[in-house]
């Protein structure tokens, strides 16, 4: 096979390549630092010299994405776990848990924490710590369990947003439906059904590795999957990205349309244009914020994943001996590397979805803000009282010392005065005796 002589700067103009054999390539195969097994046969042919030069030209973008995944994602995990726990605690108070929406949001907080821990935190640990990845490499049970749990929380979080969106749409469009007679029961049935379906779909990770076999966290996959790509990946991407996006978009459009109709009807009946937003609109506003942010963060990732899947399955190329055909393979390989790291960038952006709900609740939920402020005030009072309690023994001790110290000084003064008086008396008596004699 023939490879170019030009450096990375001249590599961009593919029509000006001059080729020579693989043995004369100035870049060794080890320049591809994402490869972990250099003993694979025909590795030089799989990664030709042009691809290595392109990898060097791609380094600034790759380093930026790696920095985000190595330092930004751990920050998101810490912030997300803390804020989701706080959100769950606030939504679990009697004041906040008076609607079925709070039940959806509590389960969403738990699912988001599960995704942050089992998907992203474990991925980072496997990437940065060899002994952690060795645990999964040496245990088939641990590897399979992690794959299932990781997919379970990821899939559940995605479809929970869809479920609560359409639950709200149905409640507004059909306000006198059977589901509104007991909305909490309807929510429990929906969440239970969704969790069971998510678990069944997560079992497919035992047979199709998907993006885990080519993770942007760059850890060695713990097992060789039977079918890393193919028709199963179309099904996976459809269920995890495009179908949720379509359902959320349609649900939000219907929600906005019916909210405007209800507002217009209310204004017409009451002849007032300055009414406060009612409880239904406040709840719908929180739901709109959650679902729209999710839509915005998921859309770029869905587009890149679909393009990458189409590139890897439909437009796949293989190394050829012919210069023209091999040039097509090189172009395909370069685009594949670019798509992977674009996926890594938007994958990091998507991580914020699991940590931003707390801020959305604060911005759009008046009741949530009120409970949060009251909790913060209670915490401040408790901390102040504890601090006072710690200072109280010292204050009492100081008072005791003062009470003890004062009599001691008086006693010393009295004793000193008595001794001086005795000495004066003795001296006077001695002088009197001397004068007599």
């Amino acid at each position: 096979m023939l490879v170019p002589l030009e450096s990375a700067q001249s590599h961009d103009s593919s029509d000006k390549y001059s080729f020579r054999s693989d043995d004369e390539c100035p870049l060794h195969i080890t320049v591809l630092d994402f490869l972990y097994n250099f003993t694979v046969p025909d590795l030089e042919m799989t990664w030709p010299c042009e691809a290595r030069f392109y990898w060097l030209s791609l380094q600034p973008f790759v380093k930026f994405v790696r920095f985000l995944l190595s330092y930004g994602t751990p920050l998101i995990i810490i912030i997300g776990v803390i804020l989701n726990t706080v959100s769950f605690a606030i939504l679990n108070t009697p004041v906040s848990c008076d609607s079925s929406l709070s039940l959806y949001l509590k389960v969403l907080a738990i699912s988001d924490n599960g995704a942050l821990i089992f998907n992203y935190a474990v991925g980072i640990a496997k990437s940065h710590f060899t002994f952690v990845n060795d645990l999964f490499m040496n245990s088939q049970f641990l590897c399979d369990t992690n794959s299932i749990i990781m997919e379970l929380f990821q899939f559940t979080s995605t479809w929970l947003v869809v479920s609560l969106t359409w639950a709200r749409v149905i409640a507004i469009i059909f306000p006198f439906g059977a589901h509104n007679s007991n909305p909490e029961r309807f929510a429990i049935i929906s969440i239970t059904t969704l969790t069971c379906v998510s678990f069944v779909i997560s079992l497919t990770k035992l047979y199709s590795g998907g993006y885990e076999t080519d993770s942007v966290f760059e850890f060695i996959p713990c097992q060789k999957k039977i079918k890393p790509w193919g028709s199963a990946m179309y099904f996976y991407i459809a269920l995890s990205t495009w179908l949720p996006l379509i359902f959320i978009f349609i649900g939000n459009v219907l929600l906005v349309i019916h909210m405007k109709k209800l507002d217009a009807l209310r204004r017409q009946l009451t002849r007032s244009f300055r009414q406060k937003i009612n409880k239904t609109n406040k709840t719908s506003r929180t739901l709109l914020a959650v679902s729209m942010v999710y839509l915005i963060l998921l859309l770029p990732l869905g587009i890149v994943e679909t393009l990458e899947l189409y590139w890897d399955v439909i437009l796949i190329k293989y190394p050829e001996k012919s210069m023209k055909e091999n040039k097509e393979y090189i172009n395909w390989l370069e685009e594949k590397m670019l798509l992977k790291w674009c996926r890594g960038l938007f994958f990091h952006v998507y991580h914020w979805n699991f940590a931003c709900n707390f801020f959305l609740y604060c911005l759009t939920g008046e009741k949530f803000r009120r409970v949060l402020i009251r909790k913060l005030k209670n915490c401040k009072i408790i901390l102040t009282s504890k601090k006072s309690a710690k200072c109280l023994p010292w204050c009492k001790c100081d008072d005791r010392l003062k009470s003890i110290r004062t009599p001691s000084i008086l006693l010393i003064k009295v004793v000193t005065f008595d001794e001086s008086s005795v000495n004066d008396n003795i001296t006077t008596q001695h002088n009197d005796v001397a004068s007599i004699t």
Side-chain angles (χ1 to χ4, degrees), residues 1 8 16 46 54 74 101 139 164 167 173 177 179 191 250 255 266 304 324-325 335 368 378 422 427 429-430:
M1 189 182 69
K16 298 180 181 179
T46 305
Y54 182 78
L101 178 63
S139 175
L164 66 91
I173 296 178
H179 60 277
I191 293 170
I250 296 175
L255 192 62
R266 188 179 298 107
V304 173
K324 182 179 179 180
E325 293 178 354
E335 293 297 328
F368 187 89
N378 292 338
V422 170
T427 305
Q429 292 177 1
H430 184 270

Short mmCIF file of all heavy atoms in Angstrom, two decimals, residues 1 8 16 46 54 74 101 139 164 167 173 177 179 191 250 255 266 304 324-325 335 368 378 422 427 429-430:
data_model
loop_
_atom_site.label_atom_id
_atom_site.label_comp_id
_atom_site.label_asym_id
_atom_site.label_seq_id
_atom_site.Cartn_x
_atom_site.Cartn_y
_atom_site.Cartn_z
N MET A 1 0.84 -1.19 0.00
CA MET A 1 0.00 0.00 0.00
C MET A 1 0.87 1.24 0.00
O MET A 1 1.97 1.24 0.54
CB MET A 1 -0.91 0.00 1.23
CG MET A 1 -1.96 1.08 1.20
SD MET A 1 -2.97 1.07 2.69
CE MET A 1 -1.77 1.62 3.87
N ALA A 8 1.78 16.90 8.32
CA ALA A 8 0.38 17.13 8.67
C ALA A 8 -0.14 18.42 8.07
O ALA A 8 -1.32 18.54 7.76
CB ALA A 8 0.25 17.18 10.19
N LYS A 16 -2.63 16.40 -3.58
CA LYS A 16 -1.20 16.63 -3.78
C LYS A 16 -0.35 15.57 -3.09
O LYS A 16 0.82 15.78 -2.82
CB LYS A 16 -0.83 18.01 -3.24
CG LYS A 16 -1.54 19.14 -3.97
CD LYS A 16 -1.14 20.48 -3.40
CE LYS A 16 -1.86 21.62 -4.11
NZ LYS A 16 -1.49 22.93 -3.56
N THR A 46 -4.34 -1.12 8.46
CA THR A 46 -5.60 -0.58 8.98
C THR A 46 -5.48 0.91 9.29
O THR A 46 -6.42 1.67 9.09
CB THR A 46 -6.01 -1.35 10.25
OG1 THR A 46 -6.06 -2.74 9.96
CG2 THR A 46 -7.37 -0.89 10.74
N TYR A 54 -3.30 12.78 9.98
CA TYR A 54 -4.58 13.43 10.29
C TYR A 54 -4.84 13.41 11.80
O TYR A 54 -5.38 14.38 12.36
CB TYR A 54 -5.71 12.73 9.55
CG TYR A 54 -7.06 13.37 9.79
CD1 TYR A 54 -7.41 14.54 9.13
CD2 TYR A 54 -7.97 12.80 10.68
CE1 TYR A 54 -8.65 15.13 9.36
CE2 TYR A 54 -9.20 13.39 10.91
CZ TYR A 54 -9.53 14.56 10.25
OH TYR A 54 -10.75 15.15 10.48
N PRO A 74 -16.15 14.92 35.96
CA PRO A 74 -16.17 14.69 37.42
C PRO A 74 -16.83 15.82 38.19
O PRO A 74 -17.54 15.57 39.18
CB PRO A 74 -14.68 14.57 37.77
CG PRO A 74 -14.04 14.09 36.53
CD PRO A 74 -14.79 14.74 35.41
N LEU A 101 -46.70 15.21 39.62
CA LEU A 101 -45.46 15.71 39.01
C LEU A 101 -44.28 15.55 39.96
O LEU A 101 -43.17 15.20 39.53
CB LEU A 101 -45.62 17.17 38.61
CG LEU A 101 -44.39 17.85 38.01
CD1 LEU A 101 -43.99 17.18 36.70
CD2 LEU A 101 -44.64 19.34 37.79
N SER A 139 -13.84 -10.13 35.82
CA SER A 139 -15.11 -10.65 36.32
C SER A 139 -16.19 -10.45 35.26
O SER A 139 -16.60 -9.32 34.99
CB SER A 139 -15.51 -9.95 37.62
OG SER A 139 -16.79 -10.36 38.04
N LEU A 164 -43.41 12.11 31.87
CA LEU A 164 -44.01 13.22 32.61
C LEU A 164 -44.51 14.32 31.68
O LEU A 164 -45.48 15.02 31.99
CB LEU A 164 -43.02 13.78 33.64
CG LEU A 164 -41.73 14.46 33.19
CD1 LEU A 164 -41.93 15.95 33.04
CD2 LEU A 164 -40.62 14.21 34.22
N ALA A 167 -47.82 12.93 30.45
CA ALA A 167 -48.78 12.90 31.56
C ALA A 167 -49.38 14.28 31.78
O ALA A 167 -50.59 14.42 32.06
CB ALA A 167 -48.09 12.41 32.83
N ILE A 173 -55.30 18.37 28.37
CA ILE A 173 -56.24 18.18 27.27
C ILE A 173 -57.52 17.48 27.74
O ILE A 173 -58.63 17.82 27.32
CB ILE A 173 -55.57 17.38 26.13
CG1 ILE A 173 -54.40 18.18 25.56
CG2 ILE A 173 -56.57 17.07 25.02
CD1 ILE A 173 -53.65 17.45 24.47
N GLY A 177 -60.65 13.29 32.69
CA GLY A 177 -60.42 11.89 32.37
C GLY A 177 -60.30 11.03 33.61
O GLY A 177 -60.19 11.52 34.74
N HIS A 179 -57.86 9.23 34.52
CA HIS A 179 -56.54 9.30 35.15
C HIS A 179 -56.44 10.45 36.14
O HIS A 179 -55.61 10.43 37.05
CB HIS A 179 -55.45 9.45 34.08
CG HIS A 179 -55.61 10.68 33.25
ND1 HIS A 179 -56.47 10.74 32.17
CD2 HIS A 179 -55.04 11.91 33.36
CE1 HIS A 179 -56.40 11.95 31.64
NE2 HIS A 179 -55.55 12.68 32.34
N ILE A 191 -44.59 4.79 35.98
CA ILE A 191 -43.18 4.68 36.36
C ILE A 191 -42.77 3.21 36.49
O ILE A 191 -41.68 2.81 36.04
CB ILE A 191 -42.92 5.45 37.66
CG1 ILE A 191 -43.10 6.95 37.43
CG2 ILE A 191 -41.52 5.17 38.20
CD1 ILE A 191 -43.10 7.77 38.70
N ILE A 250 -43.31 17.06 20.28
CA ILE A 250 -44.75 17.09 20.02
C ILE A 250 -45.52 17.40 21.30
O ILE A 250 -46.47 18.20 21.31
CB ILE A 250 -45.21 15.75 19.41
CG1 ILE A 250 -44.57 15.54 18.04
CG2 ILE A 250 -46.73 15.71 19.29
CD1 ILE A 250 -44.87 14.19 17.42
N LEU A 255 -48.67 21.13 24.58
CA LEU A 255 -48.80 21.75 25.90
C LEU A 255 -48.89 23.26 25.79
O LEU A 255 -49.74 23.90 26.42
CB LEU A 255 -47.61 21.34 26.76
CG LEU A 255 -47.68 21.64 28.26
CD1 LEU A 255 -48.84 20.89 28.89
CD2 LEU A 255 -46.37 21.26 28.93
N ARG A 266 -59.84 31.85 29.93
CA ARG A 266 -59.95 32.39 31.28
C ARG A 266 -60.06 33.91 31.26
O ARG A 266 -60.84 34.51 32.01
CB ARG A 266 -58.74 31.94 32.11
CG ARG A 266 -58.84 32.28 33.59
CD ARG A 266 -57.62 31.79 34.34
NE ARG A 266 -57.49 30.34 34.26
CZ ARG A 266 -56.58 29.72 33.52
NH1 ARG A 266 -55.72 30.41 32.80
NH2 ARG A 266 -56.52 28.41 33.50
N VAL A 304 -25.11 13.42 15.93
CA VAL A 304 -23.76 12.88 15.72
C VAL A 304 -23.77 11.36 15.80
O VAL A 304 -23.10 10.68 15.00
CB VAL A 304 -22.79 13.49 16.75
CG1 VAL A 304 -21.43 12.81 16.67
CG2 VAL A 304 -22.63 14.98 16.53
N LYS A 324 -6.68 4.30 -5.59
CA LYS A 324 -7.92 5.05 -5.60
C LYS A 324 -8.88 4.55 -4.53
O LYS A 324 -9.46 5.33 -3.77
CB LYS A 324 -8.57 4.96 -6.98
CG LYS A 324 -9.85 5.76 -7.10
CD LYS A 324 -10.43 5.66 -8.50
CE LYS A 324 -11.73 6.45 -8.61
NZ LYS A 324 -12.32 6.35 -9.97
N GLU A 325 -9.05 3.23 -4.47
CA GLU A 325 -9.97 2.67 -3.48
C GLU A 325 -9.44 2.85 -2.06
O GLU A 325 -10.21 3.09 -1.13
CB GLU A 325 -10.19 1.19 -3.78
CG GLU A 325 -10.94 0.94 -5.08
CD GLU A 325 -11.10 -0.54 -5.37
OE1 GLU A 325 -10.53 -1.35 -4.59
OE2 GLU A 325 -11.77 -0.90 -6.35
N GLU A 335 -12.85 10.70 8.66
CA GLU A 335 -14.16 11.19 9.09
C GLU A 335 -14.66 10.42 10.30
O GLU A 335 -15.33 10.98 11.17
CB GLU A 335 -15.16 11.08 7.94
CG GLU A 335 -14.87 12.00 6.77
CD GLU A 335 -14.97 13.46 7.17
OE1 GLU A 335 -15.79 13.79 8.06
OE2 GLU A 335 -14.22 14.28 6.61
N PHE A 368 -41.10 25.27 45.09
CA PHE A 368 -39.78 24.68 45.32
C PHE A 368 -38.84 25.70 45.94
O PHE A 368 -38.11 25.39 46.89
CB PHE A 368 -39.22 24.17 43.99
CG PHE A 368 -37.94 23.39 44.11
CD1 PHE A 368 -37.96 22.02 44.30
CD2 PHE A 368 -36.71 24.03 44.03
CE1 PHE A 368 -36.79 21.30 44.41
CE2 PHE A 368 -35.53 23.32 44.14
CZ PHE A 368 -35.58 21.95 44.33
N ASN A 378 -33.73 27.10 58.20
CA ASN A 378 -33.69 26.14 59.31
C ASN A 378 -32.28 25.62 59.55
O ASN A 378 -31.85 25.47 60.69
CB ASN A 378 -34.63 24.97 59.02
CG ASN A 378 -36.09 25.39 59.02
OD1 ASN A 378 -36.45 26.40 59.63
ND2 ASN A 378 -36.94 24.62 58.36
N VAL A 422 0.58 42.10 111.68
CA VAL A 422 1.25 41.33 112.73
C VAL A 422 2.71 41.76 112.85
O VAL A 422 3.26 41.94 113.95
CB VAL A 422 1.14 39.82 112.44
CG1 VAL A 422 2.03 39.03 113.39
CG2 VAL A 422 -0.30 39.38 112.57
N THR A 427 7.04 44.56 115.75
CA THR A 427 8.11 45.57 115.76
C THR A 427 7.84 46.62 116.84
O THR A 427 8.75 47.06 117.57
CB THR A 427 8.20 46.24 114.39
OG1 THR A 427 8.38 45.23 113.40
CG2 THR A 427 9.34 47.23 114.33
N GLN A 429 6.05 46.29 119.58
CA GLN A 429 6.26 45.70 120.91
C GLN A 429 7.74 45.56 121.23
O GLN A 429 8.19 45.79 122.36
CB GLN A 429 5.57 44.33 120.98
CG GLN A 429 4.04 44.43 120.94
CD GLN A 429 3.38 43.06 120.95
OE1 GLN A 429 4.09 42.04 121.00
NE2 GLN A 429 2.06 43.05 120.92
N HIS A 430 8.54 45.21 120.25
CA HIS A 430 9.97 45.05 120.47
C HIS A 430 10.62 46.38 120.82
O HIS A 430 11.49 46.47 121.71
CB HIS A 430 10.61 44.46 119.20
CG HIS A 430 12.07 44.17 119.37
ND1 HIS A 430 13.06 45.10 119.09
CD2 HIS A 430 12.73 43.05 119.82
CE1 HIS A 430 14.24 44.59 119.32
NE2 HIS A 430 14.06 43.31 119.77
#
